[in-house]
Amino acid sequence: MAGYIPYGRQSVTEDDIAAVVEVLKSDFLTQGPVVPAFEEAVAKISDARFGVAANSATSALHMACMALEVGPGDSVWTSPLTFVASSNAALYCGASVDFVDVDERSYNMCPERLAGKLDRAASEGRLPKVIIPVHLTGQSCDMAAIHAAASKYGVRIIEDASHTIGGAFGANPVGHCEYSDIAIFSFHPVKIVTTGEGGMAMTNDPELAERMRAGRSHGITRDPALLERVDDGAWYYEQHSLGYNYRMTDINAALGLSQMDRLADFITRRREVAATYDAAFADMPVMTPWQHPDAASAWHLYVIRVDAARHRAVFDHLRAVGIGVNLHYIPIYLQPYYRKLGFSPGFCPNAEAYYAEAISIPMFPTITEEQQQTVIAEVAKVVCA
């Protein structure tokens, strides 16, 4: 469509293309030196000890659950406002899933509701093994409060930071794992940095890092320190667990590594776009994103909320004029698959109220001033009518 403005768009430069071509001409298309270099680059900006790359953030979430030994009989709690991968990863391990409603302002997991739900679960002997808070739109959850609630009962934490590379909470970048065991980034094309498809798990725990490395590669290790037999040849390897083929290729990693050079520029530009929207919608009947005072958003998404009675009209109008708005997300437990697991409407009222009003409008570094003003004007045509 001529003039189409998507809600998100990757930025790929000639330098990115050259980096990929260099790998294509090399001896290693996969399992070569570029994946470790990419892991080191992401670990450096996250101030984490280890990065474990995977072929998707979904795979990384599954690896993280496996590393924390989630299995049948365990329960994992997450946010209802996220892509289904956040909860599906627990189901892959044979665990059950439950949801904690979101905060009305940030749309992230509500620490107060989490604390209350944990207290009740403790009294009933049904505490979760793992909690997966999700940093929706690029803004970190209140991880200090979530960690305080979880650590009271020894519950482990995986941050789903798929939206949030380049963001921060308190004094540390997201991915630092100050308040979690593992944090997960996504490198899907509409994310802040892309590898085409890909993800990465960050951790400061060497044992968890090793478990995830094994989990992404069939449960196999060649590490002499871990082998049960050490007198065989250099070809020798051992499978110690049931893993998967979740490896990232050097082709994908080359794109991501090149993009990391522009991460700061991506974040700066996204914040500029957000500030323009904030100012433009200040005098309209539009709710703009609230920002936690201790968090610095990476602004993966810019979500507005409009009156529920006009929600469909605004969404349909924007799509009709070539603005590719979206809605992130349908509460997971409303999906038919999850309803069959026993969930029903009304389970998380704040999440459902958000769903009735939310629209993700275009947010990406290369959006032009003209495109952004078009988005603003078209929103105004409906909400101010």
Side-chain angles (χ1 to χ4, degrees):
M1 179 186 297
Y4 179 73
I5 308 172
Y7 82 85
R9 174 179 282 156
Q10 68 271 17
S11 171
V12 176
T13 65
E14 290 300 321
D15 285 344
D16 294 337
I17 295 169
V20 173
V21 170
E22 183 176 352
V23 168
L24 292 172
K25 293 179 177 179
S26 76
D27 292 332
F28 294 97
L29 300 187
T30 190
Q31 297 179 271
V34 184
V35 170
F38 182 43
E39 291 172 332
E40 290 174 11
V42 177
K44 182 177 180 180
I45 66 95
S46 305
D47 197 21
R49 288 185 66 190
F50 307 102
V52 182
N55 57 9
S56 71
T58 303
S59 299
L61 283 163
H62 188 195
M63 286 158 36
C65 286
M66 289 192 296
L68 292 175
E69 300 181 308
V70 173
D74 294 327
S75 176
V76 174
W77 295 0
T78 189
S79 168
L81 290 183
T82 178
F83 188 55
V84 294
S86 304
S87 56
N88 285 354
L91 299 182
Y92 299 157
C93 295
S96 64
V97 174
D98 203 351
F99 301 94
V100 180
D101 205 358
V102 298
D103 173 76
E104 292 176 297
R105 295 185 298 175
S106 70
Y107 319 139
N108 285 329
M109 182 181 286
C110 177
E112 291 79 13
R113 289 176 181 265
L114 172 64
K117 187 162 183 162
L118 285 170
D119 289 342
R120 292 191 297 274
S123 68
E124 298 167 1
R126 54 176 187 85
L127 282 166
K129 187 164 191 175
V130 171
I131 295 169
I132 305 179
V134 180
H135 304 328
L136 190 68
T137 76
Q139 178 175 203
S140 174
C141 298
D142 185 342
M143 289 306 302
I146 288 174
H147 178 264
S151 61
K152 179 180 177 181
Y153 296 108
V155 178
R156 311 295 287 271
I157 298 174
I158 300 170
E159 296 176 69
D160 187 339
S162 293
H163 294 185
T164 320
I165 191 169
F169 182 78
N172 294 313
V174 171
H176 175 68
C177 297
E178 178 181 8
Y179 298 113
S180 65
D181 297 281
I182 301 169
I184 306 298
F185 291 134
S186 172
F187 306 116
H188 183 274
V190 297
K191 298 301 195 299
I192 295 162
V193 165
T194 187
T195 58
E197 286 281 6
M200 192 176 296
M202 318 307 299
T203 187
N204 295 317
D205 185 322
E207 183 176 353
L208 291 180
E210 182 54 41
R211 288 181 186 177
M212 290 188 289
R213 291 189 193 105
R216 74 178 173 187
S217 192
H218 306 282
I220 286 173
T221 182
R222 294 179 182 271
D223 186 344
L226 300 176
L227 297 178
E228 294 184 4
R229 292 169 54 184
V230 295
D231 57 348
D232 286 319
W235 64 82
Y236 188 67
Y237 60 87
E238 293 176 349
Q239 181 184 349
H240 289 178
S241 60
L242 183 62
Y244 298 81
N245 185 355
Y246 283 168
R247 294 187 300 264
M248 177 181 283
T249 72
D250 281 50
I251 300 167
N252 296 97
L255 176 57
L257 184 59
S258 178
Q259 294 235 320
M260 289 299 295
D261 291 338
R262 307 202 304 285
L263 176 60
D265 293 337
F266 287 156
I267 299 299
T268 296
R269 177 58 183 146
R270 286 175 177 275
R271 289 174 178 163
E272 291 172 351
V273 173
T276 297
Y277 280 142
D278 285 347
F281 293 131
D283 297 322
M284 295 188 203
V286 170
M287 183 185 298
T288 54
W290 176 82
Q291 298 299 290
H292 191 290
D294 293 331
S297 181
W299 289 108
H300 164 52
L301 299 171
Y302 191 96
V303 176
I304 61 172
R305 290 179 66 170
V306 298
D307 185 88
R310 292 190 173 189
H311 180 253
R312 182 65 179 270
V314 175
F315 190 96
D316 288 350
H317 170 75
L318 294 172
R319 282 281 183 95
V321 297
I323 299 172
V325 291
N326 213 327
L327 203 166
H328 300 87
Y329 292 95
I330 304 168
I332 292 176
Y333 63 84
L334 295 180
Q335 296 291 345
Y337 181 86
Y338 281 85
R339 291 197 190 197
K340 292 176 183 176
L341 297 180
F343 295 100
S344 59
F347 189 72
C348 293
N350 289 346
E352 291 180 38
Y354 164 94
Y355 175 57
E357 299 177 348
I359 301 174
S360 298
I361 62 175
M363 163 59 82
F364 49 93
T366 56
I367 190 171
T368 66
E369 181 179 350
E370 180 182 6
Q371 287 174 322
Q372 197 172 7
Q373 291 304 319
T374 296
V375 173
I376 293 164
E378 295 298 337
V379 170
K381 285 181 182 179
V382 184
V383 301
C384 297

mmCIF file of all heavy atoms in Angstrom, residues 127-156:
data_model
loop_
_atom_site.group_PDB
_atom_site.id
_atom_site.type_symbol
_atom_site.label_atom_id
_atom_site.label_comp_id
_atom_site.label_asym_id
_atom_site.label_seq_id
_atom_site.Cartn_x
_atom_site.Cartn_y
_atom_site.Cartn_z
ATOM 1 N N LEU A 127 2.617 -22.663 46.032
ATOM 2 C CA LEU A 127 3.489 -21.615 45.519
ATOM 3 C C LEU A 127 4.024 -21.959 44.125
ATOM 4 O O LEU A 127 4.280 -23.130 43.826
ATOM 5 C CB LEU A 127 4.670 -21.397 46.459
ATOM 6 C CG LEU A 127 4.397 -20.589 47.726
ATOM 7 C CD1 LEU A 127 5.556 -20.753 48.695
ATOM 8 C CD2 LEU A 127 4.166 -19.117 47.395
ATOM 9 N N PRO A 128 4.232 -20.948 43.284
ATOM 10 C CA PRO A 128 4.858 -21.219 41.980
ATOM 11 C C PRO A 128 6.346 -21.486 42.139
ATOM 12 O O PRO A 128 6.961 -21.074 43.127
ATOM 13 C CB PRO A 128 4.618 -19.913 41.216
ATOM 14 C CG PRO A 128 4.614 -18.866 42.285
ATOM 15 C CD PRO A 128 3.939 -19.516 43.474
ATOM 16 N N LYS A 129 6.912 -22.167 41.180
ATOM 17 C CA LYS A 129 8.356 -22.361 41.176
ATOM 18 C C LYS A 129 9.062 -21.160 40.559
ATOM 19 O O LYS A 129 10.154 -20.772 40.991
ATOM 20 C CB LYS A 129 8.717 -23.621 40.393
ATOM 21 C CG LYS A 129 10.198 -23.985 40.482
ATOM 22 C CD LYS A 129 10.451 -25.403 40.030
ATOM 23 C CE LYS A 129 11.848 -25.858 40.366
ATOM 24 N NZ LYS A 129 12.057 -27.277 40.035
ATOM 25 N N VAL A 130 8.419 -20.568 39.536
ATOM 26 C CA VAL A 130 9.020 -19.462 38.781
ATOM 27 C C VAL A 130 7.953 -18.419 38.496
ATOM 28 O O VAL A 130 6.796 -18.753 38.246
ATOM 29 C CB VAL A 130 9.632 -19.967 37.455
ATOM 30 C CG1 VAL A 130 10.067 -18.804 36.566
ATOM 31 C CG2 VAL A 130 10.794 -20.910 37.720
ATOM 32 N N ILE A 131 8.361 -17.152 38.518
ATOM 33 C CA ILE A 131 7.530 -16.038 38.076
ATOM 34 C C ILE A 131 8.198 -15.426 36.853
ATOM 35 O O ILE A 131 9.420 -15.242 36.820
ATOM 36 C CB ILE A 131 7.379 -14.979 39.181
ATOM 37 C CG1 ILE A 131 6.619 -15.553 40.376
ATOM 38 C CG2 ILE A 131 6.661 -13.735 38.658
ATOM 39 C CD1 ILE A 131 6.658 -14.648 41.594
ATOM 40 N N ILE A 132 7.399 -15.116 35.836
ATOM 41 C CA ILE A 132 7.921 -14.471 34.624
ATOM 42 C C ILE A 132 7.241 -13.110 34.452
ATOM 43 O O ILE A 132 6.214 -12.986 33.782
ATOM 44 C CB ILE A 132 7.702 -15.333 33.369
ATOM 45 C CG1 ILE A 132 8.293 -16.739 33.556
ATOM 46 C CG2 ILE A 132 8.338 -14.659 32.143
ATOM 47 C CD1 ILE A 132 8.089 -17.657 32.360
ATOM 48 N N PRO A 133 7.774 -12.049 35.078
ATOM 49 C CA PRO A 133 7.257 -10.711 34.804
ATOM 50 C C PRO A 133 7.672 -10.271 33.404
ATOM 51 O O PRO A 133 8.761 -10.620 32.934
ATOM 52 C CB PRO A 133 7.912 -9.843 35.885
ATOM 53 C CG PRO A 133 9.131 -10.599 36.291
ATOM 54 C CD PRO A 133 8.865 -12.047 36.047
ATOM 55 N N VAL A 134 6.807 -9.529 32.739
ATOM 56 C CA VAL A 134 7.033 -9.127 31.346
ATOM 57 C C VAL A 134 7.121 -7.603 31.275
ATOM 58 O O VAL A 134 6.224 -6.890 31.746
ATOM 59 C CB VAL A 134 5.896 -9.629 30.442
ATOM 60 C CG1 VAL A 134 6.130 -9.199 28.994
ATOM 61 C CG2 VAL A 134 5.761 -11.147 30.541
ATOM 62 N N HIS A 135 8.189 -7.109 30.681
ATOM 63 C CA HIS A 135 8.387 -5.664 30.561
ATOM 64 C C HIS A 135 7.655 -5.157 29.313
ATOM 65 O O HIS A 135 8.244 -4.991 28.235
ATOM 66 C CB HIS A 135 9.869 -5.342 30.464
ATOM 67 C CG HIS A 135 10.694 -5.862 31.604
ATOM 68 N ND1 HIS A 135 10.220 -5.984 32.880
ATOM 69 C CD2 HIS A 135 11.984 -6.309 31.637
ATOM 70 C CE1 HIS A 135 11.180 -6.452 33.671
ATOM 71 N NE2 HIS A 135 12.257 -6.668 32.924
ATOM 72 N N LEU A 136 6.373 -4.910 29.462
ATOM 73 C CA LEU A 136 5.540 -4.558 28.308
ATOM 74 C C LEU A 136 5.936 -3.217 27.700
ATOM 75 O O LEU A 136 6.170 -2.245 28.423
ATOM 76 C CB LEU A 136 4.069 -4.513 28.737
ATOM 77 C CG LEU A 136 3.053 -4.384 27.609
ATOM 78 C CD1 LEU A 136 3.008 -5.649 26.755
ATOM 79 C CD2 LEU A 136 1.660 -4.086 28.170
ATOM 80 N N THR A 137 6.013 -3.183 26.387
ATOM 81 C CA THR A 137 6.276 -2.006 25.548
ATOM 82 C C THR A 137 7.703 -1.474 25.666
ATOM 83 O O THR A 137 8.060 -0.532 24.976
ATOM 84 C CB THR A 137 5.289 -0.843 25.811
ATOM 85 O OG1 THR A 137 5.622 -0.174 27.038
ATOM 86 C CG2 THR A 137 3.855 -1.318 25.848
ATOM 87 N N GLY A 138 8.537 -2.058 26.531
ATOM 88 C CA GLY A 138 9.895 -1.558 26.711
ATOM 89 C C GLY A 138 10.140 -0.949 28.065
ATOM 90 O O GLY A 138 11.273 -0.570 28.382
ATOM 91 N N GLN A 139 9.093 -0.863 28.908
ATOM 92 C CA GLN A 139 9.248 -0.320 30.252
ATOM 93 C C GLN A 139 9.400 -1.465 31.260
ATOM 94 O O GLN A 139 8.566 -2.368 31.309
ATOM 95 C CB GLN A 139 8.044 0.531 30.662
ATOM 96 C CG GLN A 139 8.178 1.057 32.076
ATOM 97 C CD GLN A 139 7.080 2.005 32.494
ATOM 98 O OE1 GLN A 139 7.269 2.802 33.408
ATOM 99 N NE2 GLN A 139 5.946 1.957 31.837
ATOM 100 N N SER A 140 10.438 -1.407 32.064
ATOM 101 C CA SER A 140 10.669 -2.451 33.044
ATOM 102 C C SER A 140 9.549 -2.507 34.073
ATOM 103 O O SER A 140 8.986 -1.485 34.482
ATOM 104 C CB SER A 140 11.992 -2.202 33.774
ATOM 105 O OG SER A 140 12.170 -3.140 34.823
ATOM 106 N N CYS A 141 9.236 -3.717 34.499
ATOM 107 C CA CYS A 141 8.395 -3.887 35.678
ATOM 108 C C CYS A 141 9.113 -3.294 36.895
ATOM 109 O O CYS A 141 10.311 -3.004 36.854
ATOM 110 C CB CYS A 141 8.147 -5.369 35.946
ATOM 111 S SG CYS A 141 7.264 -6.262 34.654
ATOM 112 N N ASP A 142 8.386 -3.140 37.984
ATOM 113 C CA ASP A 142 8.996 -2.728 39.247
ATOM 114 C C ASP A 142 9.695 -3.960 39.821
ATOM 115 O O ASP A 142 9.153 -4.678 40.659
ATOM 116 C CB ASP A 142 7.928 -2.197 40.208
ATOM 117 C CG ASP A 142 8.526 -1.633 41.497
ATOM 118 O OD1 ASP A 142 9.693 -1.951 41.809
ATOM 119 O OD2 ASP A 142 7.809 -0.892 42.197
ATOM 120 N N MET A 143 10.902 -4.196 39.345
ATOM 121 C CA MET A 143 11.581 -5.444 39.669
ATOM 122 C C MET A 143 12.009 -5.510 41.126
ATOM 123 O O MET A 143 12.095 -6.609 41.702
ATOM 124 C CB MET A 143 12.779 -5.640 38.746
ATOM 125 C CG MET A 143 12.393 -5.975 37.305
ATOM 126 S SD MET A 143 11.285 -7.411 37.175
ATOM 127 C CE MET A 143 12.245 -8.699 37.965
ATOM 128 N N ALA A 144 12.272 -4.381 41.749
ATOM 129 C CA ALA A 144 12.644 -4.403 43.159
ATOM 130 C C ALA A 144 11.494 -4.938 43.998
ATOM 131 O O ALA A 144 11.684 -5.794 44.882
ATOM 132 C CB ALA A 144 13.059 -3.015 43.624
ATOM 133 N N ALA A 145 10.296 -4.457 43.716
ATOM 134 C CA ALA A 145 9.120 -4.906 44.465
ATOM 135 C C ALA A 145 8.769 -6.348 44.145
ATOM 136 O O ALA A 145 8.387 -7.126 45.035
ATOM 137 C CB ALA A 145 7.941 -3.983 44.169
ATOM 138 N N ILE A 146 8.879 -6.727 42.876
ATOM 139 C CA ILE A 146 8.584 -8.110 42.484
ATOM 140 C C ILE A 146 9.582 -9.068 43.127
ATOM 141 O O ILE A 146 9.214 -10.129 43.647
ATOM 142 C CB ILE A 146 8.579 -8.236 40.949
ATOM 143 C CG1 ILE A 146 7.319 -7.557 40.384
ATOM 144 C CG2 ILE A 146 8.667 -9.694 40.511
ATOM 145 C CD1 ILE A 146 7.275 -7.478 38.881
ATOM 146 N N HIS A 147 10.842 -8.685 43.125
ATOM 147 C CA HIS A 147 11.868 -9.531 43.743
ATOM 148 C C HIS A 147 11.624 -9.675 45.242
ATOM 149 O O HIS A 147 11.780 -10.768 45.809
ATOM 150 C CB HIS A 147 13.255 -8.935 43.494
ATOM 151 C CG HIS A 147 14.374 -9.699 44.113
ATOM 152 N ND1 HIS A 147 14.912 -9.355 45.340
ATOM 153 C CD2 HIS A 147 15.048 -10.806 43.707
ATOM 154 C CE1 HIS A 147 15.875 -10.202 45.647
ATOM 155 N NE2 HIS A 147 15.985 -11.085 44.675
ATOM 156 N N ALA A 148 11.234 -8.585 45.896
ATOM 157 C CA ALA A 148 10.971 -8.648 47.335
ATOM 158 C C ALA A 148 9.843 -9.625 47.636
ATOM 159 O O ALA A 148 9.920 -10.420 48.586
ATOM 160 C CB ALA A 148 10.638 -7.261 47.864
ATOM 161 N N ALA A 149 8.785 -9.582 46.824
ATOM 162 C CA ALA A 149 7.648 -10.478 47.030
ATOM 163 C C ALA A 149 8.040 -11.929 46.768
ATOM 164 O O ALA A 149 7.671 -12.842 47.522
ATOM 165 C CB ALA A 149 6.488 -10.063 46.129
ATOM 166 N N ALA A 150 8.803 -12.171 45.703
ATOM 167 C CA ALA A 150 9.166 -13.542 45.327
ATOM 168 C C ALA A 150 10.194 -14.138 46.270
ATOM 169 O O ALA A 150 10.108 -15.320 46.636
ATOM 170 C CB ALA A 150 9.694 -13.560 43.903
ATOM 171 N N SER A 151 11.183 -13.344 46.673
ATOM 172 C CA SER A 151 12.261 -13.877 47.505
ATOM 173 C C SER A 151 11.766 -14.266 48.889
ATOM 174 O O SER A 151 12.379 -15.116 49.559
ATOM 175 C CB SER A 151 13.398 -12.855 47.616
ATOM 176 O OG SER A 151 12.945 -11.650 48.221
ATOM 177 N N LYS A 152 10.666 -13.695 49.323
ATOM 178 C CA LYS A 152 10.058 -14.068 50.605
ATOM 179 C C LYS A 152 9.764 -15.560 50.658
ATOM 180 O O LYS A 152 9.809 -16.188 51.725
ATOM 181 C CB LYS A 152 8.780 -13.248 50.815
ATOM 182 C CG LYS A 152 8.018 -13.539 52.091
ATOM 183 C CD LYS A 152 6.780 -12.660 52.181
ATOM 184 C CE LYS A 152 5.954 -12.977 53.425
ATOM 185 N NZ LYS A 152 4.715 -12.117 53.488
ATOM 186 N N TYR A 153 9.472 -16.136 49.501
ATOM 187 C CA TYR A 153 9.100 -17.549 49.426
ATOM 188 C C TYR A 153 10.077 -18.385 48.593
ATOM 189 O O TYR A 153 9.800 -19.539 48.284
ATOM 190 C CB TYR A 153 7.693 -17.675 48.848
ATOM 191 C CG TYR A 153 6.635 -17.054 49.727
ATOM 192 C CD1 TYR A 153 6.010 -15.866 49.364
ATOM 193 C CD2 TYR A 153 6.279 -17.645 50.930
ATOM 194 C CE1 TYR A 153 5.042 -15.303 50.179
ATOM 195 C CE2 TYR A 153 5.310 -17.085 51.753
ATOM 196 C CZ TYR A 153 4.691 -15.908 51.375
ATOM 197 O OH TYR A 153 3.738 -15.342 52.186
ATOM 198 N N GLY A 154 11.210 -17.806 48.204
ATOM 199 C CA GLY A 154 12.196 -18.556 47.438
ATOM 200 C C GLY A 154 11.776 -18.855 46.019
ATOM 201 O O GLY A 154 12.252 -19.826 45.416
ATOM 202 N N VAL A 155 10.910 -18.015 45.447
ATOM 203 C CA VAL A 155 10.434 -18.217 44.082
ATOM 204 C C VAL A 155 11.437 -17.613 43.107
ATOM 205 O O VAL A 155 11.888 -16.474 43.288
ATOM 206 C CB VAL A 155 9.038 -17.590 43.894
ATOM 207 C CG1 VAL A 155 8.566 -17.752 42.449
ATOM 208 C CG2 VAL A 155 8.031 -18.229 44.855
ATOM 209 N N ARG A 156 11.791 -18.344 42.072
ATOM 210 C CA ARG A 156 12.765 -17.869 41.082
ATOM 211 C C ARG A 156 12.100 -16.940 40.082
ATOM 212 O O ARG A 156 10.875 -16.990 39.881
ATOM 213 C CB ARG A 156 13.405 -19.056 40.346
ATOM 214 C CG ARG A 156 13.925 -20.159 41.240
ATOM 215 C CD ARG A 156 15.074 -19.730 42.127
ATOM 216 N NE ARG A 156 16.317 -19.545 41.387
ATOM 217 C CZ ARG A 156 17.210 -20.516 41.169
ATOM 218 N NH1 ARG A 156 16.963 -21.763 41.589
ATOM 219 N NH2 ARG A 156 18.339 -20.268 40.524
#
